[in-house]
Amino acid sequence: MTTQTKTTTWPEGVIARYLTVGGAAVDIAHDTLYLSDVEPNVSTARCGGCEKYRNQEWEARADRYSNGSSWADSDARHWAQEHAEKCRAMPKPTA
Ligand SMILES: [Zn+2]
């Protein structure tokens, strides 16, 4: 299990990372839903093993930019945790 504890540099913008049973990483980052969006408005969880992902839109409300991402981050983390526990796809080797 020693290889699973090694740390690598996280991609820019990644706020949380989950290790899957297959040895890939599920990364959570803030992103924009549409190309025309200028501010981040979605939390994205993406699996590096099987390419499955989940977009969690931030709640549109008055406090959107103060803590609008809180619930979306929470949901994204929940999805990442569940996915990491069952995904056995291995990450592509890097050169
Ligand atoms: Zn996966």
Side-chain angles (χ1 to χ4, degrees):
M1 293 296 241
T2 51
T3 54
Q4 293 198 346
T5 56
K6 83 172 180 184
T7 51
T8 54
T9 306
W10 287 16
E12 194 179 343
V14 169
I15 59 168
R17 176 167 256 201
Y18 291 75
L19 181 68
T20 71
V21 289
V26 182
D27 287 337
I28 297 177
H30 291 165
D31 205 351
T32 52
L33 189 58
Y34 302 108
L35 288 175
S36 58
D37 292 336
V38 292
E39 297 276 356
N41 54 10
V42 65
S43 297
T44 299
R46 183 180 299 274
C47 178
C50 69
E51 302 295 329
K52 268 192 183 164
Y53 70 96
R54 182 185 182 104
N55 283 336
Q56 206 69 49
E57 285 184 58
W58 296 4
E59 296 291 331
R61 52 189 176 189
D63 59 350
R64 169 176 183 171
Y65 293 111
S66 53
N67 66 1
S69 67
S70 304
W71 290 107
D73 282 349
S74 177
D75 287 348
R77 286 171 188 267
H78 184 72
W79 182 88
Q81 174 73 39
E82 283 199 334
H83 185 77
E85 284 171 3
K86 62 190 178 196
C87 181
R88 295 191 173 274
M90 292 179 68
K92 280 185 201 162
T94 49

